[in-house]
Amino acid sequence: MKANRIIRNTIALMGLFAALSISECTYARVNTMGNATTATTTAATTPLLLTSTADGQQSLVASTPTVSNKPAAMPLIRLMPNVKQQTIDGFGYAITYSTCYNLLHMTKADRKAFLERTFSPTKGFGASYVRISIGCNDFSSKEYTLCDKPGLQHFALQSDETDYVIPTLKEVLAINPGIKVIAAPWTCPQWMKVKDLESLKPFNSWTDGHLNPNMRKTYAQYFVKFIQAMQAAGIHIYAVSPQNEPLNHRNCASLYLPWDEEAPLVADLAQAIKQAGLSTLIYLFDHNYNYDDVASQDAYPVNVVNALGQMQFEGNELVVGAAYHNYGGREEELDRIHGLIPDKQLIFSETSIGTWNDGRNLKRRLVDDMRHVVIGTTNRWCRAALVWNLMLDDHRGPNLDGGCQTCDGAVNISSADYRTLTLNSHYYIISHASAVVKPGAVHIAASDLKDKALSYAAFLNPDGTYGVLLASDSDAARELTIGDGHRTATITLPAHSVVSLRF
């Protein structure tokens, strides 16, 4: 292999991060000798084009598009800034124990460089949203909650939080203080569980079970204690969902919470948060587009919203919307739900890659993930798009028995040196989106080229720049003009590529 051949997506840290302090915003690609080549921008309003190709020949390569004030030639994606839809909160990753374990095994300098590249709005791509668990998830050190002994007097953050997640979040927040943090439990404490709502028989199991209705107010206070404990540690919890994957019986830690059981819990939770003087928002559901094919759970968040409308409780304004995953069904469901509850927000909170979907193969994943995880969700009213683990090791861990043994991270790090990174599709798509679409941006309409090989979404940033995300599955490169009738950018869209544009 020639020395100037680009490594597809495996990157040596020394070469990657050497150039990151050159300017306000630097992006690098690395050849087989570990030497970084860079393209830089010097100001947030400078036109920027980021390009990644499925064959790995271009990997988050930055360049400057041609921008003019002249009318554009066809074909044209016409931007319509007066046709505004939802405000964008951001894009990001889950920060699990496993992610933090791997990050904290890096040298301090390497970790800082990686986190700056990932989260800094001035020195990197500017990811702006993270998701954490309340207690354990399937990428924790063990199965646990924050109160495993009966009685909330025993509530306490555990080692996963105090030694891993909180220190890592503090480093992230030092880089990007505007980061939003959303949290969800995988299970309530076992002493709050029952086998069913008829017998109320105790259910001493990490997996499955129902929340005892008599424990709803206590469980709501559990959330409050978590929010307050994280606040005391310097971390604001922007939002919570009542239960990760409420229709999943089988996860290593789980709680079955159908919509008619979530609704009264949400009422108690909203009231507890409000009465504690907290501002944390609540997103309902947090599960799949297809409701795990359980007919009675169809349109789950709509049913919860309708049920809440029949209740009287403080804090109703904190229940702002619903969160979705894509492990079943398709993102078109978001349009239906928006139509049914148009005054509620939508976010996309989890997706993963792994052995089942050829997760490390950019040729299979790059364009498809950009099309469905970011473009497809933001074109359908989502204010945020988050992927699962930011970082796992090259053995897809560490993880828990009973959890996902076949998941990859957005980044995989070598456990041999904790320096060599493999960037997977999820790192590319979140970086592409974060780099050009900033928190507070508004999704805007754009003309339809009716090209099945091309997907795109357009946004108007708070600073007046446009952010445009494109994914092309075409076998051929093409030149494309994008404009609003006054400003026009001309770009080259390579075959099988993801491109993000700011101008």
Side-chain angles (χ1 to χ4, degrees), residues 129-447:
Y129 218 130
V130 298
R131 184 169 180 247
I132 62 174
S133 61
I134 304 174
C136 74
N137 57 70
D138 47 327
F139 285 88
S140 294
S141 67
K142 60 182 180 180
E143 291 164 326
Y144 72 97
T145 70
L146 304 180
C147 192
D148 284 333
K149 292 181 180 180
L152 290 183
Q153 69 271 23
H154 299 294
F155 179 96
L157 299 177
Q158 301 298 304
S159 174
D160 279 27
E161 287 80 39
T162 59
D163 298 333
Y164 292 90
V165 175
I166 289 174
T168 301
L169 282 179
K170 285 185 173 180
E171 291 187 21
V172 170
L173 287 166
I175 292 166
N176 186 348
I179 290 278
K180 287 182 168 61
V181 181
I182 187 170
W186 265 234
T187 181
C188 65
Q190 293 183 45
W191 53 274
M192 296 186 186
K193 284 187 176 185
V194 293
K195 184 176 182 181
D196 56 70
L197 300 192
E198 290 73 32
S199 70
L200 297 184
K201 181 180 179 181
F203 192 72
N204 188 31
S205 172
W206 291 113
T207 302
D208 206 5
H210 295 254
L211 176 65
N212 186 337
N214 298 321
M215 289 289 176
R216 285 173 185 150
K217 292 186 184 300
T218 303
Y219 194 31
Q221 291 300 323
Y222 174 93
F223 278 79
V224 169
K225 283 184 172 291
F226 167 76
I227 296 166
Q228 291 173 331
M230 295 299 284
Q231 183 171 287
I235 296 164
H236 172 65
I237 301 300
Y238 172 74
V240 296
S241 66
Q243 173 61 37
N244 172 70
E245 299 186 351
L247 303 178
N248 184 353
H249 293 273
R250 300 172 297 277
N251 213 345
C252 61
S254 55
L255 176 74
Y256 191 68
L257 195 71
W259 72 261
D260 56 337
E261 295 175 40
E262 181 164 293
L265 171 61
V266 168
D268 286 338
L269 177 57
Q271 181 162 295
I273 292 173
K274 180 76 170 184
Q275 292 180 347
L278 301 169
S279 60
T280 300
L281 306 178
I282 301 171
Y283 285 93
L284 308 170
F285 189 47
D286 212 357
H287 204 177
N288 293 334
Y289 295 133
N290 67 348
Y291 312 100
D292 275 16
D293 294 322
V294 181
S296 64
Q297 301 305 308
D298 182 62
Y300 183 119
V302 178
N303 295 328
V304 176
V305 168
N306 290 338
L308 292 174
Q310 304 303 312
M311 302 178 189
Q312 297 294 324
F313 61 96
E314 290 184 68
N316 181 61
E317 71 278 7
L318 299 176
V319 184
V320 294
Y324 276 86
H325 303 180
N326 71 347
Y327 303 115
R330 294 185 61 82
E331 64 263 26
E332 285 79 5
E333 175 65 7
L334 297 166
D335 284 327
R336 182 172 79 111
I337 296 303
H338 173 75
L340 294 170
I341 45 173
D343 59 332
K344 295 298 183 183
Q345 301 174 12
L346 295 172
I347 64 171
F348 182 79
S349 56
E350 185 184 320
T351 183
S352 192
I353 49 175
T355 57
W356 69 92
N357 61 8
D358 205 4
R360 296 185 187 179
N361 185 348
L362 285 182
K363 288 184 178 179
R364 289 284 301 276
R365 294 258 50 90
L366 180 64
V367 173
D368 189 76
D369 286 340
M370 188 65 168
R371 173 172 286 173
H372 295 293
V373 174
V374 175
I375 294 174
T377 59
T378 55
N379 276 344
R380 293 176 172 84
W381 302 98
C382 280
R383 298 169 66 99
L386 293 91
V387 298
W388 193 210
N389 290 284
L390 170 59
M391 181 182 287
L392 294 178
D393 67 23
D394 46 355
H395 302 293
R396 302 186 171 93
N399 54 41
L400 281 178
D401 292 339
C404 182
Q405 307 294 309
T406 57
C407 291
D408 287 300
V411 176
N412 288 97
I413 191 167
S414 169
S415 58
D417 62 10
Y418 287 100
R419 288 176 63 81
T420 303
L421 302 177
T422 299
L423 306 184
N424 296 319
S425 61
H426 282 179
Y427 190 82
Y428 285 99
I429 65 174
I430 296 300
S431 297
H432 269 278
S434 299
V436 304
V437 183
K438 298 304 177 181
V442 178
H443 182 280
I444 60 173
S447 60

